[in-house]
């Protein structure tokens, strides 16, 4: 068995990367906001389901410099409905991050299973799984997600639907990476030695292949989360995400676009969180990659 990479060294390199740490702090902040959304919004007595017409002008435009007539609305209110924007952002974070994390976990499981199976057993199994992966990669993902969203039964949970559909179109890229790494590991001396002493395929996969793929899978998974979050927002923006009144960043952005000329703050308030969390997760993903493979280090502090 080859020596495992030192996790202490990887952690030290990660903590030495200021950009990765900043990304981790911002991402963790949004996770905490999503988890404790109900408690945090209760501080000012708001929730994303209460209409406050008093915060709107007669034409339905929010009052005040940031769209709110009351200091109780930290980010102002939504045009026409008067719903609190901070509550929409907080509960929308719950939807986006839950779908993003769920889809990434499912995609990692499927992609790792397919890639390792194809790379380890090779031959006919590799050919079939690799061609199937190529077919999945050839699909225009967003178009098919929207099409599937239009035909899925209304009673089917939308959050579960988004987790499934995003994962289905996300696993092929991970499968390709794990297949390539498994093909290399398959012919390493420690695997050949394990086979020579009679170790079964299951034992070799569990004790030799998968532990040596852990860093690769971790990096790909970390960098896949922001893509999954963005996919959820895109689906909600196009109207196939969670149904109203459940808050969603994508649907809030779609609503804000129609008001951008008369209330630009609305778009800034609901669009900035998506930009920030995506940027933060990407920075953290880059840091994890550089920490696990110092040869790729680019932003050492």
């Amino acid at each position: 068995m080859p020596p495992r990479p030192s996790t202490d060294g990887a952690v030290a390199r990660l903590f030495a990367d200021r950009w990765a740490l900043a990304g981790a702090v911002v991402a963790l902040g949004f996770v905490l906001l999503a988890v404790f959304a109900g408690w945090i919004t209760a501080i000012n007595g708001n929730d994303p389901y209460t209409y406050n017409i008093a915060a709107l002008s007669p034409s339905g435009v929010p009052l005040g410099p940031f769209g709110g007539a009351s200091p109780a609305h930290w980010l102002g209110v939504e045009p026409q409905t008067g719903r609190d924007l901070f509550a929409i952002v907080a509960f929308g974070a719950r939807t986006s991050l839950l779908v993003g994390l769920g889809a990434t976990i499912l995609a990692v499981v499927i992609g790792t299973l397919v890639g390792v199976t194809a790379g380890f057993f090779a031959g006919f199994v590799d050919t079939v799984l690799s061609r199937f992966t190529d077919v999945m990669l050839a699909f225009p993902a967003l178009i098919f997600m929207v099409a599937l969203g239009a035909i899925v039964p209304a009673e089917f949970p939308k959050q579960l639907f988004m987790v499934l559909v995003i994962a289905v179109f996300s696993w092929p890229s991970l499968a390709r990476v794990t297949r390539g790494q498994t093909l290399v590991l398959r012919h390493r001396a420690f695997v050949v030695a394990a086979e020579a002493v009679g170790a079964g395929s299951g034992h070799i996969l569990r004790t030799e292949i998968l532990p040596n793929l852990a860093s690769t899978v971790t990096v790909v998974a970390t960098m896949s989360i922001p893509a999954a979050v963005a996919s959820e927002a895109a689906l909600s923006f196009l109207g196939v995400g969670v149904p109203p009144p459940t808050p969603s960043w994508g649907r809030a952005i779609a609503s804000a676009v129609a008001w951008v000329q008369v209330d630009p703050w609305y778009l800034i308030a609901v669009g900035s969180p998506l930009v920030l969390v995506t940027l933060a997760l990407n920075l953290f993903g880059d840091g994890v990659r550089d920490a696990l493979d110092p040869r790729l280090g680019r932003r050492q502090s």
Side-chain angles (χ1 to χ4, degrees):
M1 181 180 297
R4 300 281 185 257
S6 172
T7 55
D8 292 340
V11 171
R13 286 190 293 272
L14 183 61
F15 273 91
D17 190 333
R18 290 196 299 257
W19 288 105
L21 287 180
V25 169
V26 173
L28 179 60
F30 276 102
V31 170
L32 294 176
L33 176 64
V35 172
F36 299 106
W39 294 352
I40 296 173
T41 56
I43 294 174
N44 58 8
N46 293 313
D47 64 64
Y49 310 106
T50 301
Y51 289 35
N52 182 13
I53 306 302
L56 302 174
S57 70
S59 61
V61 178
L63 300 171
F66 295 103
S70 169
H73 300 291
W74 295 340
L75 293 180
V77 297
E78 186 180 52
Q80 285 193 314
T81 67
R83 295 191 302 165
D84 184 71
L85 286 182
F86 181 80
I88 292 175
V89 169
F91 281 85
R94 180 178 294 179
T95 300
S96 295
L97 294 178
L98 181 63
V99 171
L101 289 172
T104 300
I105 292 172
L106 182 57
V108 166
V109 172
I110 298 174
T112 302
L113 179 62
V114 172
V116 170
T117 302
F120 185 80
F121 293 101
F124 177 75
V125 174
D126 183 24
T127 300
V128 172
L129 292 178
S130 295
R131 298 296 77 78
F132 178 63
T133 301
D134 291 339
V135 170
M136 292 300 299
L137 285 169
F139 278 97
L142 186 58
I143 294 176
F144 273 84
M145 288 180 187
V146 174
L148 290 172
I151 64 176
V152 70
E155 61 272 13
F156 193 86
K158 282 293 187 178
Q159 289 189 352
L160 177 59
F161 161 75
M162 287 193 292
V163 168
L164 294 175
V165 74
I166 293 172
V168 163
F169 288 101
S170 300
W171 68 261
S173 57
L174 177 61
R176 272 192 166 183
V177 173
T178 53
R179 173 187 175 273
Q181 291 292 316
T182 303
L183 285 173
V184 173
L185 293 171
R186 181 71 177 79
H187 301 288
R188 296 285 295 273
F190 58 90
V191 175
V192 175
E195 291 178 330
V197 298
S201 298
H203 177 79
I204 294 174
L205 287 171
R206 186 175 63 257
T207 62
E208 307 291 350
I209 302 295
L210 289 176
N212 283 283
L213 286 175
S215 61
T216 298
V217 172
T218 300
V219 170
V220 176
T222 304
M223 302 188 71
S224 297
I225 296 174
V229 171
S231 294
E232 184 280 328
L235 290 175
S236 296
F237 182 88
L238 295 172
V240 293
V242 293
T246 304
S248 167
W249 285 350
R251 192 174 61 252
I253 293 172
S255 300
V257 168
W259 289 87
V260 68
Q261 292 186 344
V262 294
D263 185 17
W265 172 252
Y266 182 18
L267 181 59
I268 295 173
V270 298
S272 297
L274 177 61
V275 175
L276 286 174
V277 76
T278 303
L279 177 61
L281 289 170
N282 275 311
L283 288 173
F284 181 66
D286 284 347
V288 171
R289 180 191 61 187
D290 296 345
L292 292 175
D293 189 352
R295 295 171 300 176
L296 297 177
R298 297 172 298 127
R299 301 187 317 276
Q300 296 299 320
S301 300

